[in-house]
Amino acid sequence: MDPIINAVLEPKSIAIVGASADPEKIGYKVVANLIAGGYEGAIYPINPKSEEILGHKCYASVKDVPYVIDAAIITVPAKFVHGVTQECGEKGVKGISIITSGFSEVGEHELEEQVVKTAREFGMRIIGPNIIGVLSNSGKMNASFASQLPLNGTAGLISQSGALLIAMIAATYTRRVGFDKMLSIGNQSDLDFADLVTYLAEDDVTSCITLYIEGIKDGARFMEAARNCDKPIIALKAGTSEHGAAAAASHTGSLAGSSKVYEAAFKQVGVTQADDLNDLFDRTLALSLQPRMQGDNLLILTNGGGVGVLATDAAEKYGLPLKFAPPEVQAELKKHMPDFGSAKNPVDITGGAGLKGYYEGVKYSYAHPWVDGMAILYCETAVTNPLEIAEAIYKALQDSGTTGKPVTVSFVGGERCDTATAWLIEKGIPTYNAPDIAVKALATLRQDQLMSETTHSAPYKPTDINPEKAREIIAGARAKGRDALTEVEAKHVFAAYGLPVTPTELAKTEEEAIKLANEIGFPIVMKIVSPDILHKSDAGAVKVNIKNDDDVREAWKVIMENSLKYKADAEIDGMAVQEMAPWSTEVIVGSVNDATFGPTVMFGLGGIFVEVLKDVTFRVAPIDEDEALRMQNEIKSAQILHGARGESPRDMAKLASILAHYSYMIYDLKDEIAESDANPCLVYEEGKGVAVVDARIILTKK
Ligand code: ACO
């Protein structure tokens, strides 16, 4: 653990610079909160006007404090923060939390940079500015102006919004989701999400990391921190605007919005994405209290058919479809229910089930090796007392002698169910007021297990590539003042990175076109090559199925005429003469350079699937072939690749290799390629490969 970061977040002594005797001021509240929270370290209020604040001796400057200061909390107006930072540095303070607002969030970038520069000169770390502070139950430290510590628990929160963090603290009590640490991250001038995720990953108390994110500063650092974290991470990402997408020059650019790239990055590094605040709390409760689910066998035990059906629907929706329990499990469970109960799955012990029914049913099922996870449902009835049922469930789980297996509970009913819910959560059992949420929570634990198994592979790097050749082609185009490659150039770059492009060469004259066509072999395709005509089909500048020399001559004439009709002064380099690949399943592979995460690869089925349905998926580059296969299986129309309506399955393995090579190309050439498309790629049946028939590369601005 980084000792300096540790000193900022778990200080043994704290100076509050800007502490005030005025109870209305933030500088007063921080001192009062530290005291009220039971902070056991030293508290040094700093204010030149006061002798003492809330019983603690006050100093005019941190430099006057004759003791070691681990962290300073700064609550003076923005214009004084730099001077205070300098004094903290001179005093040897290890790090500062800057509560003050009025920095980069309102455009005062220079002021913020000045503070960071000075802090760095002294080796200090900064959390903030523009934060509410840092809270820790285990450290008995409320170093913030939020009036209370959160409900005690083991989740750890990092929030980019201060106001939301204060609201969430209050909500922890009504939602009964316990947190140990809550960190307000503000402008991330120095310590950012990556640093704090790493800190919580190494923290002994934190069992699960919960994030509220508006924007990550450095995507690659965040991904590395999340990838290296063995604990579950769940994030709520706010801001789903797709701004800028419309102006993008390539097809992929218009489909890739920043929220899609966040979604991709989260998937790749094993971060569960929450839908909204309620969902964030629901899933945090399960992730912080229960182990991951090791297999897919979910058993639902219920006293009500209705909630059983709702839970069954949810199981399918969240990716854990129910299977019937094995015959021996059914036979044993039958002994603990009336004849009209059902021992299949969901196991319906019926509305008449009492303490004994729940106790025996839960104890046996939870211990059975077939069961990987269990959702226990209860509907309030006239003949049962919810709290007693909760106690029976808990005792059964304890008596089963089983550990390491997740369980969630749902109690549907009134106030008595609320009491039982609170009691079970207190005992470490995530309990909800709806059956679908109990199942969703379990599915999250399963999903988290699956992600933890797949997110730790080393970065992908193919060997059969020729980067020098690709850079040479790009340099050639740049030398001619172009910011987009021609199709022929783009295909040569693709080929240098091991992509199977259809042979394509540039003909500058009609005679050259005839010669190339004969070399490549008929039938061929001809297309205009012009930096001024990117959408060739729209211009009528593509001819297919050209079968002989005469066809070549005719195509040359028509394409030239159409191109000049489309743009009279178009600069024309010649015509691409290319092999006509036999038509097959069309897919699109493309890329954008995301501002946060860098080069990002896109995959989807071509034609109507991409144009109308926008059935595409993204990953931050580079990806390996396993991740590429996951992309292929993730699109809604994946069944077409697996072979739908009598078609034979497509060559998924070759396609995965191509996606992996493509992702490496855009990663390796990120300084050169802004956007690119291989559209369409034709995927043939298993073992017969893929052909990239069109290629586009738009260069970065230099
Ligand atoms: N050293 C020590 N004390 C100093 C210094 C100094 N160099 N300079 C000023 N002080 C004292 C002041 O004299 C004052 O003490 P006093 O009450 O005895 O006079 C105290 O520091 C505070 O200074 P004020 O000028 O009174 O400033 P005020 O308390 O009104 O505001 C604050 C300061 C809170 C930092 C304000 O500038 C600010 O940024 N507020 C927003 C904070 C915030 O909301 N952050 C979280 C954002 S996230 C969210 O959404 C909630």
Side-chain angles (χ1 to χ4, degrees):
M1 192 168 282
D2 184 313
I4 305 283
I5 296 180
N6 215 32
V8 190
L9 300 174
E10 294 174 37
K12 293 196 170 59
S13 50
I14 299 176
I16 303 92
V17 186
S20 172
D22 178 350
E24 295 300 313
K25 291 196 181 174
I26 285 181
Y28 173 92
K29 293 207 164 84
V30 175
V31 180
N33 289 343
L34 276 168
I35 297 167
Y39 180 64
E40 287 166 353
I43 298 174
Y44 306 117
I46 311 294
N47 182 322
K49 290 192 256 166
S50 295
E51 291 291 310
E52 170 253 290
I53 291 174
L54 288 162
H56 288 264
K57 181 175 164 41
C58 197
Y59 298 86
S61 158
V62 280
K63 288 161 78 176
D64 298 331
V65 178
Y67 311 104
V68 170
I69 301 173
D70 278 348
I73 302 168
I74 298 182
T75 63
V76 295
K79 61 179 186 253
F80 301 127
V81 171
H82 182 250
V84 165
T85 306
Q86 175 78 26
E87 286 184 36
C88 286
E90 287 164 8
K91 163 66 187 165
V93 172
K94 290 173 189 141
I96 53 181
S97 301
I98 308 175
I99 286 180
T100 313
S101 302
F103 292 88
S104 62
E105 83 281 7
V106 291
E108 295 288 347
H109 295 279
E110 227 170 273
L111 191 59
E112 190 167 302
E113 279 159 24
Q114 229 181 0
V115 171
V116 173
K117 186 165 172 279
T118 299
R120 292 231 164 101
E121 278 164 15
F122 288 102
M124 289 191 295
R125 301 305 302 261
I126 301 174
I127 180 157
N130 191 30
I131 60 168
I132 66 134
V134 171
L135 302 100
S136 161
N137 266 312
S138 56
K140 295 189 187 165
M141 184 183 77
N142 179 0
S144 81
F145 63 89
S147 55
Q148 58 186 340
L149 283 161
L151 178 71
N152 193 17
T154 59
L157 176 75
I158 307 168
S159 171
Q160 203 164 350
S161 161
L164 188 64
L165 192 141
I166 295 178
M168 283 175 81
I169 292 171
T172 60
Y173 290 91
T174 51
R175 301 294 314 251
R176 301 185 186 100
V177 183
F179 286 80
D180 179 44
K181 296 183 176 63
M182 283 196 166
L183 314 172
S184 171
I185 196 166
N187 297 0
Q188 305 179 69
S189 69
D190 174 29
L191 293 177
D192 63 4
F193 274 107
D195 296 305
L196 298 190
V197 163
T198 304
Y199 163 73
L200 290 180
E202 293 172 6
D203 177 50
D204 289 340
V205 185
T206 305
S207 62
C208 132
I209 301 170
T210 304
L211 309 176
Y212 168 78
I213 300 174
E214 281 163 12
I216 284 169
K217 279 201 158 170
D218 182 336
R221 280 193 80 227
F222 173 78
M223 288 181 76
E224 193 187 338
R227 197 174 258 135
N228 291 335
C229 172
D230 290 330
K231 298 174 184 173
I233 305 176
I234 176 161
L236 177 59
K237 166 73 179 78
T240 49
S241 120
E242 306 289 329
H243 69 93
S250 76
H251 211 132
T252 308
S254 64
L255 291 161
S258 74
S259 62
K260 296 224 177 71
V261 182
Y262 269 94
E263 204 180 299
F266 288 163
K267 249 182 249 168
Q268 276 172 268
V269 296
V271 173
T272 298
Q273 191 166 0
D275 298 332
D276 52 40
L277 268 177
N278 281 334
D279 191 42
L280 188 71
F281 271 113
D282 289 339
R283 299 200 209 215
T284 293
L285 185 65
L287 289 168
S288 66
L289 294 179
Q290 291 290 305
R292 290 170 168 140
M293 188 165 159
Q294 301 299 322
D296 286 329
N297 292 341
L298 160 66
L299 190 99
I300 294 174
L301 186 135
T302 177
N303 69 340
V307 289
V309 176
L310 288 171
T312 305
D313 291 347
E316 194 156 313
K317 176 173 168 188
Y318 295 111
L320 268 184
L322 288 193
K323 300 166 207 155
F324 286 137
E328 82 272 14
V329 176
Q330 294 193 31
E332 179 63 31
L333 285 170
K334 266 285 181 198
K335 295 180 194 160
H336 307 297
M337 63 178 71
D339 288 347
F340 50 89
S342 168
K344 291 179 174 159
N345 193 14
V347 176
D348 186 353
I349 55 176
T350 79
L355 301 181
K356 192 163 183 309
Y358 268 99
Y359 178 82
E360 298 296 347
V362 169
K363 187 176 155 200
Y364 173 76
S365 326
Y366 189 57
H368 197 280
W370 181 82
V371 176
D372 294 313
M374 206 174 161
I376 305 163
L377 316 179
Y378 167 77
C379 276
E380 191 167 354
T381 66
V383 292
T384 49
N385 175 334
L387 186 56
E388 286 175 6
I389 296 286
E391 287 165 351
I393 290 172
Y394 184 65
K395 188 166 187 326
L397 294 170
Q398 297 293 99
D399 292 352
S400 73
T402 305
T403 53
K405 203 185 271 190
V407 59
T408 61
V409 173
S410 157
F411 268 49
V412 179
E415 272 175 37
R416 295 191 312 160
C417 279
D418 283 351
T419 308
T421 297
W423 188 87
L424 275 169
I425 293 175
E426 185 79 11
K427 299 282 182 215
I429 313 296
T431 305
Y432 304 91
N433 62 7
D436 52 320
I437 313 255
V439 169
K440 179 173 75 174
L442 263 186
T444 304
L445 294 163
R446 177 64 187 139
Q447 198 55 39
D448 194 60
Q449 169 62 26
L450 291 173
M451 289 194 293
S452 76
E453 289 168 9
T454 57
T455 52
H456 298 287
S457 55
Y460 175 77
K461 184 175 182 193
T463 48
D464 52 340
I465 56 172
N466 185 352
E468 294 74 27
K469 169 108 188 284
R471 286 190 181 273
E472 224 172 80
I473 296 162
I474 291 169
R478 283 201 191 274
K480 289 179 196 148
R482 286 197 266 118
D483 57 8
L485 299 192
T486 63
E487 183 188 339
V488 179
E489 288 166 339
K491 276 194 173 160
H492 286 174
V493 170
F494 282 10
Y497 276 85
L499 298 169
V501 293
T502 48
T504 306
E505 297 300 336
L506 176 68
K508 291 200 185 285
T509 63
E510 198 178 299
E511 289 317 308
E512 257 179 49
I514 292 171
K515 186 165 169 279
L516 284 172
N518 281 284
E519 276 167 24
I520 289 169
F522 290 106
I524 58 138
V525 176
M526 286 170 65
K527 302 174 186 170
I528 199 75
V529 177
S530 161
D532 298 321
I533 307 175
L534 282 182
H535 300 283
K536 299 175 283 261
S537 298
D538 297 351
V542 180
K543 289 280 164 225
V544 300
N545 207 15
I546 295 166
K547 293 197 179 105
N548 52 45
D549 292 4
D550 286 347
D551 283 359
V552 174
R553 285 198 182 87
E554 175 62 17
W556 186 275
K557 189 165 150 275
V558 174
I559 291 174
M560 252 338 154
E561 278 171 13
N562 287 349
S563 299
L564 294 173
K565 237 184 266 162
Y566 184 77
K567 194 164 191 302
D569 59 346
E571 184 191 325
I572 290 172
D573 291 349
M575 263 181 232
V577 177
Q578 75 177 63
E579 178 190 295
M580 187 163 141
W583 209 247
S584 188
T585 307
E586 229 181 302
V587 302
I588 173 169
V589 179
S591 79
V592 287
N593 229 338
D594 181 74
T596 305
F597 291 97
T600 302
V601 61
M602 182 192 83
F603 169 74
L605 253 63
I608 182 175
F609 295 98
V610 61
E611 301 285 347
V612 181
L613 304 174
K614 302 195 184 337
D615 184 14
V616 291
T617 180
F618 295 84
R619 290 294 188 277
V620 177
I623 56 164
D624 62 14
E625 291 173 17
D626 290 340
E627 192 68 48
L629 274 172
R630 281 192 282 278
M631 284 179 91
Q632 290 167 42
N633 286 317
E634 197 173 284
I635 54 169
K636 292 186 198 86
S637 38
Q639 195 50 44
I640 291 176
L641 294 170
H642 288 290
R645 304 185 70 178
E647 289 273 343
S648 50
R650 303 290 96 183
D651 200 338
M652 306 278 280
K654 184 65 185 169
L655 187 56
S657 155
I658 281 159
L659 268 166
H661 277 75
Y662 196 95
S663 78
Y664 187 76
M665 174 187 74
I666 57 164
Y667 170 77
D668 203 28
L669 298 176
K670 57 179 167 291
D671 54 325
E672 299 284 9
I673 298 181
E675 291 175 33
S676 67
D677 281 335
N679 179 29
C681 299
L682 302 173
V683 191
Y684 300 103
E685 56 189 69
E686 235 163 40
K688 301 223 165 121
V690 175
V692 179
V693 297
D694 202 353
R696 184 173 313 171
I697 290 180
I698 292 145
L699 299 175
T700 52
K701 298 260 175 298
K702 281 203 172 163

